[in-house]
Amino acid sequence: MSVMMPKPSEAILSRRRAIVEALRQIVPGEGVVDAANEMAVFESDGLTAYRQLPLVVVLPSTVEQVAAVLKYCHGEDIPVVPRGSGTSLSGGALPLEDGVLLVLSKFNRVLEIDYDNRCAVVQPGVTNLGITHAVAGNGFYYAPDPSSQIACSIGGNVAENSGGVHCLKYGLTANNVLGIQFVTIEGEVMRLGGKHLDAEGYDLLGLMTGSEGLLGVVTEVTVRILQKPETARAVLIGFPTSEQAGECVASIIAKGIIPGGMEMMDRPAITAAEDFVHAGYPTDVEALLIVELDGPAAEVDHLLAEVEAIGNANGAVTCRVSQSEEERAAFWAGRKAAFPAVGRISPDYYCMDGTIPRKELPKVLAGMKAMSEKYGLRVANVFHAGDGNLHPLILYDANKEGELHRAEEFGNDILRLCVKVGGVLTGEHGVGVEKRDLMPEMFDEDDMKHQQRVKCAFDDKHLLNPGKVFPTLHRCAELGRMHVHKGQVAFPDLPRF
Amino acid sequence: MNSSARMTYASIEKSILRPETTEDIRDIVAAAVSAQEPLAVEGTGSKRGLGRPVQAARTLSLTKMSGVTLYEPEELVLSAKAGTPIAEIEALVDENNQRLEFEPMDYGPLHGLEAGQGTLGGVVACNLSGPRRLKQGAARDHILGVRAVSGRAEIFKSGGRVVKNVTGYDLSKGLTGSYGTLAVMSEITIKVLPKCETETTLVLRGLTDGEAAGAMAASMGSAAEVSAAAHLPAYVSSRVMDGELGNEAATAIRIDGFGPSVEARATHLGRALEKVGKLERLEPEASRRLWRDVRDVRPFVDGTDKPVWRLSVTPTRSHEIVMSLRMQAAIDAFYDWQGGLVWLRMEAGEPAADLVRETIRRFGGGHATLVRASESVRAATAVFQPQPGPLAGLSRRLKEQFDPAGVLNPGKMG
C-alpha cells in the first residue's frame, strides 16, 4: 500500500474484545463479524490495490441499530467506515485497522413506489439496477447508471454522487435524489427532503451527496424515477483521427442536440473490445463514437438523420445506425465490456477518472501518448464524450517489479494534466484514498479548509471515514479560529467602518 | 411596499459598499468582522423583500462585480461575476440559441418592482427555479463552480467548469439557496443548454382541482415528456396572459423540443386528454407568455403586500392541502405542478403561518416559505419553514463554521 493512513490508535486496538462485545449488545447474532477469515471479504473495495482488515465488521438491520452503533462509537472515539456493496473505485470503503466497518447490505428493501409522484423510497443497500427492476414493469426507470449498476448500492451512489453514461441529459445522482434519511455520528436520525422539492433551509442534501461517507450514514433514499423513453437508437461513427471525433461531438451539441449517451473509444480500446465481444466495431479507425438518441420515435428518427449528416461533415469513414434493439445492444456491448476486454490483453489495469473540457481532448490524448512512452506502459481510452469524463486504462503487470508504482505515477500525471487544462481530478469515482494526496493540485489551503469546515459541522471528532478525501486533517478547533483581528487587515481604497 | 419599508431602504442606501474585486469583498468582510458590524449582502436589491429583514448598518452591493468572464457555447458553460444582471446573461445565451434550463423565476413584479432586475448571484443565492423544476432542476442543479468569500474573510473556490465533477464536497450546492448567509459569492459558473426549437401548450378547461391533479399526473407519467404542468382555478386563470384565457379553470400542459417531436407528442397526449375535458392548444408565442406568467406568479401581482406563500409539497396531495385551507381561511391558490409548488395568497392580510404549515404536515409534508409580506410581517413571522431541533442544530453549526462572527445577512433565514 503506497498511501499513508492515519496511525491506528493503540488504545482502541487494545480494547478490541470489549468493543466487539459492546457491539454484540446492539446488533445480536451474526450481525457482528470479528473472525479474520470471515472479515477477509471486506478488506478492500473495488480498488483492490489497497487492503486492510477492519477492527470489526457490523451489519445492522434497523435504523435504530445504526444509530446505536454510531452513538456508541462516538462516545468511545472509535472511527467508523460506512460501506454499501464495496464497489468504490477510489478506496472510499477501505477499512481502518482501528475502525468499525459499518456494512449496510441488509438494508435491501424497496419501501414504496409512488408512480403518481414519480418517485421511489428505497433502503440504501438496494442496488442501482434493483430500483430500475422494481419500477420497469410500469415503464419507469432510475436514470443514473454507473457501470457497476448491477452490484453498486444506492446508498453508495449517494455517498459518491455516482454518474454513468447518461449524465449530460439526465444528470448525476445529486440531480435524481429527492430526499434521504441519514444518521449522524452522534446517532441522531435526520431527514432531508422527501417527495417535495428543494430544501427548507441550507441544501444539506446537496452537501451530503458526494461526501464519500464522511458526513453521515444514509439509511433511506427517495429517488426520482422517469418514464422510460419510447424508443432508443444508437449510431456508430468511426473517424481517422480523434480530433475529428471531437469536432463531431462539438458540432452535435452546437446543433442543440443532447444525446442520451455519447461515448468515444480510442484505437487500443476499440481493438480490445472488438476482439473480446465481436460487436462489429470498425478496427481501422483511430476513434469511434457511439451516439445514442432516446425519446419519442418521431424525435429519435429526426435527430439520427442530423447526427449522421454531422458525422459525415466531420470526416466520418464509417457510420452505422442500429436497426433493431439487438443491434443497439451489440453496439453497447463492446463499450460496456471495455474494461474486462482490456483486462484480457494485460495482467492488470488501472482505471483513471478525470474530467476535462471537451475541446481539450486532442491535447490530453497527445499528452497521454507522450506519458505512455515515458513510463513504458500502454494506455487505452474510453471517454464519456458528452460530459468530458475520461477513463484512461493504464496497462501494467503487478508481478513485474515497479510496474504498479509506474502505473500510479502515470495516472497521477494524467490527472495533473486534466486539472491543468481546466478539468478536475475525478468525474464520478470519488477522491477516496486514491486521489486524496492530489487534492492540492486542484484546491488551495483555504479551499480545503472550507470543505473541512462542513465536516466539522457534521462530525467534529473526525470519526466518520477518516483518512479519505483530505490529505491533511485539521482539527476542528484549529479550523474554528478566526484569523482576522482588528487593525490587522488593510483596506486602502474602501471606506473604513 | 409600505412606507416603513421605504425608510429602511433609504437608510441602507447611505452606507453602501460596492467592491470591484473578490479581494475587495474579502477586505470589506474583514472590516465587518473587526468592527463587529454586520453586512446586508445583495446584488441590485431586487429580492430584498424575500426572507426576513436584515438588521445591518451597511450594505455590501455586488453591482460593480459585473460581467461574463467565460462563455463557451459548445462546452455548454458560462462564468460570470455574481453581480451580472441575469437579463444580460439570458440575452447573451439566447443569441447562441441557448438558455438557462432551470427557467429562474423573477420575484420583481410580485414585490412591486420592475421585471428583469435581478443578478446571477441573486438567482443562485435564492436557488430559483421555474415550471421545468421537476424535469430539469433548480439553480442548485445547474451550478458547476463558485468563487466566494466566507464570513471568515477568506477567499475560497469550489467545483469547476465541467458537468461531471465529484472532487471534494460540493460547496457550490451548499451556497446555493443560502441567501448570502454563509459566504459572498463573487464569481459563478453555470451550465447552459440548447434552447428548444419550439413549444406548445395543451389546455384543459373547467376541471376541478382534484380532476386537474389526475390529468396532470397522467400527463407527466406518460411518454409525452411534458416540460411543465399547472392548474389555474377559475378566475385565477383570468390573471395570466392579460386575460386572454378567460375565467374558466385552466389546466395547462407544456410540450417542448424539436418540431416533429413536439407535434407527435402533442397529438398523442391530446388524444388522451380530449377524453378528460374540453381541450385547447396554444401556439408557441402564447405558450411562452403563459409559462412566464405562471413562473413569475403573475396572478398575485396586484400592487398589494397581501401575504403570498410558496408551498413545496407532494404534488398529488396539493389539492387536498388547498381544499383544507380554503375551509379555514380566505385564500387564493394555483398550482405549478412541475415546479412542485402551490402558490397561496392570503386574502385577509394575515400570514396564518401555523395554519399553513400544520396543513402541509397533515397532507404528506413539505415546506412553506412566505415570499411576500410587509417588512413588519416578515420580521414577526418565520419566513422559512422552521426545521426540527437536530436539523436546526446542524444548520446552525454550518453557519457558525462559515460565518462565526455572524456578519453576513444576519437573521435573513430566521
Side-chain angles (χ1 to χ4, degrees):
Chain A
M1 190 192 293
S2 59
V3 64
M4 286 287 291
M5 294 305 283
K7 196 173 172 301
S9 152
E10 288 300 332
I12 294 174
L13 295 179
S14 66
R15 278 189 290 140
R16 181 163 186 265
R17 282 266 55 87
I19 292 168
V20 169
E21 280 318 305
L23 291 168
R24 285 220 162 95
Q25 296 299 312
I26 301 169
V27 184
E30 54 188 22
V32 174
V33 178
D34 68 333
N37 62 334
E38 288 172 38
M39 294 200 297
V41 294
F42 298 106
E43 70 176 356
S44 80
D45 56 18
L47 185 69
T48 52
Y50 303 132
R51 291 173 189 278
Q52 170 66 55
L53 278 182
L55 183 74
V56 53
V57 178
V58 181
L59 298 106
S61 48
T62 67
V63 178
E64 292 70 29
Q65 288 175 355
V66 173
V69 169
L70 290 170
K71 191 174 179 188
Y72 167 75
C73 291
H74 183 255
E76 300 284 321
D77 292 334
I78 304 165
V80 178
V81 176
R83 174 181 163 122
S85 303
T87 56
S88 167
L89 291 171
S90 56
L94 179 70
L96 295 170
E97 189 183 347
D98 63 346
V100 171
L101 189 72
L102 189 64
V103 181
L104 277 294
S105 54
K106 288 192 177 173
F107 285 76
N108 59 3
R109 286 188 304 128
V110 174
L111 300 175
E112 187 195 350
I113 300 171
D114 182 346
Y115 292 108
D116 278 346
N117 291 303
R118 295 153 311 278
C119 61
V121 184
V122 302
Q123 291 189 318
V126 173
T127 62
N128 173 293
L129 199 58
I131 300 177
T132 291
H133 283 160
V135 299
N138 285 51
F140 282 78
Y141 77 114
Y142 174 63
D145 58 343
S147 303
S148 55
Q149 67 181 152
I150 191 165
C152 65
S153 69
I154 188 67
N157 287 183
V158 171
E160 302 290 328
N161 191 14
S162 304
V165 300
H166 293 100
C167 290
L168 185 64
K169 187 167 179 185
Y170 296 105
L172 288 84
T173 302
N175 314 111
N176 288 281
V177 167
L178 297 172
I180 56 173
Q181 181 197 61
F182 74 102
V183 187
T184 67
I185 185 66
E186 284 150 326
E188 199 80 64
V189 180
M190 306 225 189
R191 218 165 245 293
L192 300 172
K195 291 184 181 179
H196 54 276
L197 295 166
D198 297 320
E200 68 270 24
Y202 295 138
D203 192 354
L204 301 174
L205 180 57
L207 287 172
M208 280 290 296
T209 310
S211 62
E212 305 198 18
L214 271 75
L215 299 183
V217 177
V218 175
T219 47
E220 186 189 294
V221 188
T222 303
V223 298
R224 192 166 77 113
I225 51 173
L226 303 181
Q227 181 78 20
K228 201 164 176 289
E230 187 183 308
T231 184
R233 291 175 77 189
V235 54
L236 272 186
I237 319 176
F239 295 90
T241 67
S242 60
E243 282 83 355
Q244 285 164 301
E247 281 301 319
C248 179
V249 169
S251 309
I252 289 170
I253 287 169
K255 238 343 197 169
I257 302 169
I258 302 292
M262 185 149 54
E263 295 290 303
M264 193 192 292
M265 297 164 77
D266 71 358
R267 191 166 190 146
I270 299 166
T271 311
E274 182 57 24
D275 287 350
F276 184 32
V277 297
H278 310 293
Y281 290 172
T283 48
D284 55 349
V285 295
E286 285 302 319
L288 184 66
L289 278 183
I290 309 174
V291 182
E292 178 163 288
L293 298 152
D294 60 5
E299 177 169 319
V300 170
D301 292 344
H302 168 72
L303 295 183
L304 268 177
E306 296 228 9
V307 168
E308 268 191 279
I310 293 168
N312 290 328
N314 282 285
V317 288
T318 64
C319 194
R320 262 175 62 205
V321 177
S322 69
Q323 299 301 327
S324 66
E325 193 53 26
E326 291 70 37
E327 196 173 10
R328 183 182 77 89
F331 285 3
W332 279 108
R335 164 62 186 87
K336 290 194 171 165
F339 290 14
V342 166
R344 284 174 75 237
I345 59 168
S346 171
D348 298 285
Y349 67 88
Y350 184 33
C351 173
M352 307 307 299
D353 171 47
T355 304
I356 56 171
R358 279 181 296 269
K359 63 172 182 181
E360 302 290 354
L361 181 66
K363 190 195 281 182
V364 173
L365 287 178
M368 272 194 257
K369 200 164 171 229
M371 290 175 207
S372 169
E373 283 160 21
K374 176 182 161 196
Y375 287 102
L377 295 172
R378 291 177 295 165
V379 61
N381 267 293
V382 294
F383 181 51
H384 299 309
D387 50 42
N389 189 199
L390 197 61
H391 291 311
L393 304 170
I394 300 170
L395 281 50
Y396 72 99
D397 182 349
N399 288 326
K400 284 194 187 151
E401 179 73 27
E403 278 215 356
L404 169 61
H405 180 68
R406 286 216 314 279
E408 286 179 336
E409 287 299 306
F410 186 174
N412 289 349
D413 278 357
I414 293 174
L415 295 183
R416 286 190 189 102
L417 178 60
C418 289
V419 173
K420 198 172 148 201
V421 301
V424 300
L425 292 173
T426 171
E428 55 185 354
H429 294 173
V431 176
V433 291
E434 185 203 21
K435 281 155 293 218
R436 186 191 72 187
D437 296 338
L438 287 173
M439 285 284 274
E441 298 286 336
M442 204 172 136
F443 296 117
D444 67 23
E445 207 37 34
D446 280 345
D447 299 338
M448 281 186 287
K449 278 185 178 168
H450 279 87
Q451 292 186 33
Q452 291 195 31
R453 284 178 180 127
V454 174
K455 170 75 169 170
C456 292
F458 282 78
D459 172 23
D460 64 352
K461 288 185 178 182
H462 286 305
L463 291 173
L464 271 172
N465 221 1
K468 316 290 170 70
V469 182
F470 300 111
T472 317
L473 275 186
H474 295 282
R475 291 178 54 229
C476 288
E478 178 197 335
L479 284 169
R481 276 184 216 128
M482 283 287 279
H483 295 286
V484 183
H485 297 290
K486 204 163 189 170
Q488 280 190 351
V489 186
F491 4 86
D493 303 324
L494 290 155
R496 282 183 177 276
F497 288 10
Chain B
M1 204 176 276
N2 62 29
S3 61
S4 70
R6 261 196 302 275
M7 279 178 64
T8 312
Y9 176 81
S11 62
I12 285 171
E13 286 288 316
K14 282 178 198 154
S15 53
I16 201 155
L17 304 162
R18 297 184 195 277
E20 290 174 26
T21 66
T22 308
E23 288 71 24
D24 287 349
I25 298 175
R26 180 193 59 201
D27 293 346
I28 291 171
V29 174
V33 171
S34 301
Q36 294 188 304
E37 291 184 7
L39 298 163
V41 183
E42 59 182 41
T44 55
S46 68
K47 287 182 272 296
R48 203 172 285 151
L50 267 188
R52 300 190 65 239
V54 173
Q55 305 288 324
R58 290 174 182 80
T59 294
L60 191 164
S61 162
L62 291 158
T63 47
K64 285 196 176 168
M65 296 280 299
S66 181
V68 172
T69 51
L70 175 142
Y71 177 37
E72 294 178 5
E74 287 173 7
E75 298 278 334
L76 307 174
V77 62
L78 179 144
S79 305
K81 293 181 192 167
T84 311
I86 197 74
E88 182 185 322
I89 292 172
E90 286 179 325
L92 174 68
V93 298
D94 186 70
E95 281 170 26
N96 288 277
N97 249 330
Q98 296 188 329
R99 66 178 179 194
L100 305 185
E101 188 85 349
F102 58 103
E103 273 182 303
M105 69 169 296
D106 184 351
Y107 273 110
L110 189 66
H111 290 161
L113 306 169
E114 251 180 82
Q117 302 299 300
T119 62
L120 175 62
V123 163
V124 172
C126 302
N127 188 28
L128 297 187
S129 57
R132 207 178 270 110
R133 170 66 185 90
L134 193 64
K135 194 169 175 220
Q136 296 293 351
R140 77 184 285 275
D141 298 289
H142 294 259
I143 184 165
L144 300 177
V146 68
R147 193 160 187 246
V149 178
S150 70
R152 295 171 170 277
E154 290 169 353
I155 298 169
F156 69 98
K157 65 176 179 303
S158 175
R161 49 159 293 182
V162 292
V163 178
K164 225 167 166 182
N165 175 14
V166 295
T167 322
Y169 294 151
D170 197 347
L171 299 184
S172 311
K173 278 201 181 62
L175 296 189
T176 306
S178 70
Y179 289 81
T181 60
L182 298 177
V184 183
M185 290 179 279
S186 63
E187 191 174 355
I188 296 164
T189 301
I190 53 169
K191 186 162 73 171
V192 293
L193 281 166
K195 236 166 55 175
C196 284
E197 198 173 277
T198 188
E199 67 175 75
T200 185
T201 294
L202 301 174
V203 186
L204 279 165
R205 305 310 304 258
L207 302 189
T208 65
D209 292 7
E211 289 166 344
M216 289 190 285
S219 303
M220 286 158 63
S222 78
E225 294 189 9
V226 166
S227 81
H231 176 64
L232 310 174
Y235 299 102
V236 174
S237 54
S238 67
R239 287 180 251 136
V240 293
M241 300 172 71
D242 301 317
E244 272 172 49
L245 270 188
N247 280 340
E248 206 179 358
T251 309
I253 313 279
R254 179 175 69 186
I255 293 172
D256 55 18
F258 292 94
S261 167
V262 168
E263 197 45 49
R265 285 181 285 151
T267 306
H268 191 258
L269 182 62
R271 278 194 207 112
L273 290 180
E274 272 167 4
K275 292 170 193 149
V276 179
K278 189 173 68 175
L279 190 67
E280 297 166 5
R281 184 166 162 177
L282 302 183
E283 292 311 305
E285 177 52 31
S287 171
R288 275 189 281 275
R289 284 166 54 217
L290 169 65
W291 291 105
R292 186 202 57 206
D293 288 356
V294 169
R295 182 194 75 181
D296 295 345
V297 207
R298 287 275 169 175
F300 297 158
V301 172
D302 52 10
T304 76
D305 55 13
K306 279 185 195 166
V308 171
W309 287 96
R310 176 184 187 273
L311 274 51
S312 181
V313 294
T314 307
T316 51
R317 308 303 297 275
S318 55
H319 65 281
E320 297 171 64
I321 293 171
V322 169
M323 192 188 294
S324 171
L325 284 169
R326 277 197 178 123
M327 289 191 284
Q328 299 171 77
I331 60 162
D332 212 353
F334 71 95
Y335 308 81
D336 174 2
W337 249 48
Q338 194 118 25
L341 301 175
V342 178
W343 295 98
L344 286 185
R345 182 173 65 185
M346 313 306 285
E347 299 305 318
E350 290 300 319
D354 292 343
L355 171 67
V356 171
R357 289 185 171 130
E358 173 57 18
T359 308
I360 292 174
R361 195 193 60 73
R362 279 183 20 231
F363 294 96
H367 54 92
T369 309
L370 184 62
V371 295
R372 183 182 75 182
S374 69
E375 191 170 312
S376 55
V377 168
R378 283 184 292 118
T381 311
V383 167
F384 297 94
Q385 180 92 14
Q387 294 179 314
L391 203 52
L394 193 50
S395 297
R396 192 181 58 246
R397 292 201 295 278
L398 190 64
K399 166 78 174 170
E400 285 165 3
Q401 287 292 333
F402 276 72
D403 179 23
V407 293
L408 301 180
N409 273 348
K412 179 90 174 171
M413 291 185 80

